[in-house]
Amino acid sequence: MCQAVVALLGYDLAWRLALNKDYLLWNLQEAAEELIRTIADLKADPDYGEPEFAVAMTHLYHHLNTAGNAGNATAAEPHACRAEDFNRWRQFPVADLDMSSI
């Protein structure tokens, strides 16, 4: 995000203006589908175990974290699929979310 825009508008407003809704929605939809599938599998499969759950949660959190971290990516950035973007976007947004006050 352009530092001049952030300085002028503030980070929160600049982020909202730069929101890549298509990429954000795609990641949230992927996360929602994984959650629904995981719930259905847990209900239906008596042998559903920790390995399956770990894979499902990794997939779910990947998309939730990417939505949270890459919602302001340009339209070209997700398509470029740079390893550094992929690794940065999929991290839990620790610095941005203080769970201690909730």
Side-chain angles (χ1 to χ4, degrees):
M1 185 178 324
C2 176
Q3 294 302 318
V5 172
V6 172
L8 180 65
L9 300 175
Y11 181 78
D12 290 338
L13 181 57
W15 191 86
R16 276 184 254 137
L17 291 174
L19 196 62
N20 182 341
K21 288 185 182 178
D22 290 337
Y23 193 55
L24 180 64
L25 287 169
W26 181 78
N27 276 288
L28 291 174
Q29 185 65 43
E30 287 289 316
E33 289 170 6
E34 183 61 59
L35 184 57
I36 290 166
R37 182 174 37 255
T38 302
I39 291 168
D41 289 348
L42 280 164
K43 287 180 178 180
D45 184 357
D47 296 324
Y48 191 94
E50 190 174 337
E52 293 87 359
F53 186 69
V55 169
M57 290 298 94
T58 299
H59 184 228
L60 171 69
Y61 276 109
H62 163 75
H63 287 290
L64 286 175
N65 294 342
T66 301
N69 290 323
N72 63 345
T74 67
E77 285 175 318
H79 295 291
C81 199
R82 295 180 346 172
E84 57 267 24
D85 288 337
F86 177 82
N87 291 327
R88 182 171 36 91
W89 292 340
R90 67 192 307 254
Q91 300 302 310
F92 186 76
V94 176
D96 296 336
L97 186 59
D98 180 7
M99 297 296 288
S100 66
S101 62
I102 297 176

